[in-house]
Amino acid sequence: MKICITGTAGFIGYHLAIKCINEGHEVYGIDSINDYYDIKLKHGRLLDLGISKEIRDLELAESSKYPNFKFYKCDLADSDGLNSFFKENSFDAVCNLAAQAGVRYSLTHPKSYIKSNIDGFLNILEMCRYYDIENLSYASSSSVYGLNETYPFSSLNSTDHPISLYAATKKSNELMAHTYSHLFNIRTTGLRFFTVYGPWGRPDMALFMFTKAALEGQTIKVFNNGEMSRSFTYIDDIIDGVFKVIMNPASPSSSWDPSMPSPESSSAPYTIYNIGSNENVNLMDFIHALEEKLNVNISKEMLPMQPGDVPKTFADISSISKDLNYNPQTSYVEGISKFVNWYKVFYEKNK
């Protein structure tokens, strides 16, 4: 299969590219390599994929490590550059993981989210439409559940009350995808990720920030006075699910009832899945496991809830488990240990 993965210099995109490459597929990556966080980390991921730092915009680069991987540096909001790329290549599937991420950043940089998550995603939909790509999977987020307090979060729940612009753009992606599924028969699957962590993770995520602070003897910020919990999900478990989705694109639901429409399916080839861990973890337990791994007591500043954040996420993954035999295996204690081991090696090499 010939697969296009956007966001391949990013955390999940990098790991998915490795998985698809190792499974023998022909993989083409796209990323703008923006400076939302440390570019050294993005270049590190690309170097591990065999792509050197000397990457020119809008020029296809071949991997020195994997003969079945190529990389194209392009912003998804650049419709002309994207069109040139898709015109030259005929893809069997697209997985769109490129996005402007982060709840808190959306409070101060709202236009970045419209450009990347709305304009960029529309361009991907248009590429699928005009170049007859029927298999599209894309990143949504558990943030779409917003004010909902029915736990665990089910893909059958309402997501009409987001509390951050980031969440609103991800909800918009789901609506846009359904429209293109209905009008153009594109098979779309939205993936609501739940707090993904692991080696090569994002520096703005909790485990990365906590580990960095702990090793440098700094104080960490703990919001809502630690009264928070998450379905922390190890990266390998996420990638297992995403890969299964690519190999099993959405189909119209035979049981869909227009008089009682299901939010997770449709008469169109459209599906929404929660993808995360079925283990809900208290934030303080998560921090304690990190302290045990590092053998330190981390200094903590207890703070109130941040605007746009939620006290709890808890994934109901019954739909993806039933449909695709998705079964996350990694405990948060094991996952933290693997992350810390990677972190120490990576930053020792990149002092």
Side-chain angles (χ1 to χ4, degrees):
M1 184 180 287
K2 192 173 182 179
I3 304 170
C4 173
I5 301 172
T6 73
T8 41
F11 174 34
I12 301 176
Y14 156 80
H15 282 280
L16 181 61
I18 292 288
K19 170 70 172 178
C20 292
I21 289 166
N22 289 338
E23 291 289 335
H25 298 284
E26 190 176 356
V27 180
Y28 285 66
I30 300 178
D31 203 294
S32 65
I33 321 179
N34 67 25
D35 60 358
Y36 168 58
Y37 59 79
D38 188 3
I39 288 182
K40 290 181 181 178
L41 190 58
K42 297 183 179 185
H43 279 298
R45 298 184 188 120
L46 289 175
L47 283 170
D48 200 57
L49 287 165
I51 302 296
S52 70
K53 291 182 180 180
E54 291 70 38
I55 310 165
R56 296 183 180 179
D57 291 352
L58 309 181
E59 185 175 294
L60 198 62
E62 296 190 359
S63 170
S64 61
K65 186 175 180 181
Y66 299 106
N68 54 334
F69 179 70
K70 295 180 176 63
F71 179 79
Y72 188 66
K73 185 182 177 184
C74 179
D75 192 316
L76 296 193
D78 179 359
S79 56
D80 291 338
L82 205 61
N83 184 67
S84 296
F85 175 70
F86 275 84
K87 187 176 182 180
E88 293 297 321
N89 299 281
S90 178
F91 295 112
D92 300 302
V94 174
C95 184
N96 183 59
L97 299 173
Q100 179 58 63
V103 169
R104 293 165 194 159
Y105 191 73
S106 68
L107 299 175
T108 54
H109 297 78
K111 290 184 180 180
S112 297
Y113 291 77
I114 301 304
K115 177 185 176 184
S116 296
N117 301 0
I118 302 298
D119 294 345
F121 188 61
L122 176 61
N123 285 339
I124 288 293
L125 288 169
E126 285 287 276
M127 294 303 102
C128 291
R129 172 189 177 184
Y130 283 107
Y131 293 104
D132 298 320
I133 303 166
E134 295 183 358
N135 182 350
L136 171 65
S137 49
Y138 61 95
S140 185
S141 169
S142 60
S143 296
V144 300
Y145 289 104
L147 292 177
N148 176 53
E149 291 185 0
T150 301
Y151 301 110
F153 291 158
S154 167
S155 48
L156 296 172
N157 293 156
S158 169
T159 54
D160 291 336
H161 300 89
I163 58 172
S164 69
L165 183 62
Y166 169 65
T169 62
K170 288 301 181 179
K171 169 70 173 179
S172 298
N173 286 173
E174 296 177 2
L175 298 174
M176 294 161 72
H178 182 269
T179 301
Y180 275 68
S181 292
H182 174 75
L183 292 174
F184 308 114
N185 205 41
I186 300 170
R187 304 166 77 178
T188 68
T189 303
L191 295 165
R192 293 175 179 167
F193 293 119
F194 280 74
T195 316
V196 188
Y197 73 98
W200 294 103
R202 289 199 342 247
D204 62 330
M205 298 295 284
L207 180 57
F208 205 114
M209 292 190 294
F210 292 168
T211 301
K212 182 177 186 294
L215 291 174
E216 295 175 358
Q218 303 296 318
T219 298
I220 66 171
K221 295 180 178 180
V222 182
F223 295 104
N224 204 35
N225 297 303
E227 294 298 317
M228 303 180 77
S229 63
R230 294 287 186 266
S231 290
F232 290 103
T233 313
Y234 189 67
I235 184 63
D236 289 358
D237 292 324
I238 286 289
I239 295 305
D240 175 63
V242 178
F243 184 75
K244 287 178 176 177
V245 163
I246 294 172
M247 296 299 114
N248 297 274
S251 297
S253 172
S254 59
S255 60
W256 196 78
D257 182 353
S259 65
M260 297 180 63
S262 167
E264 68 176 3
S265 61
S266 176
S267 57
Y270 166 90
T271 301
I272 294 291
Y273 287 127
N274 284 339
I275 180 168
S277 170
N278 48 12
E279 179 184 30
N280 190 248
V281 181
N282 181 275
L283 178 60
M284 296 309 295
D285 291 338
F286 194 77
I287 293 171
H288 180 63
L290 177 61
E291 289 177 320
E292 288 201 330
K293 171 64 179 178
L294 294 173
N295 194 30
V296 298
N297 291 316
I298 304 174
S299 174
K300 305 169 189 69
E301 180 184 4
M302 310 306 281
L303 296 168
M305 180 68 79
Q306 282 281 98
D309 211 346
V310 295
K312 181 177 181 178
T313 66
F314 186 6
D316 175 350
I317 58 172
S318 55
S319 291
I320 192 171
S321 295
K322 175 174 65 72
D323 293 349
L324 301 178
N325 194 31
Y326 173 70
N327 183 26
Q329 298 289 313
T330 311
S331 72
Y332 73 95
V333 174
E334 179 186 356
I336 287 171
S337 179
K338 290 181 177 180
F339 171 79
V340 170
N341 292 341
W342 166 82
Y343 184 98
K344 289 181 174 179
V345 171
F346 180 78
Y347 282 100
E348 180 63 31
K349 289 181 178 178
N350 291 274
K351 282 184 177 180

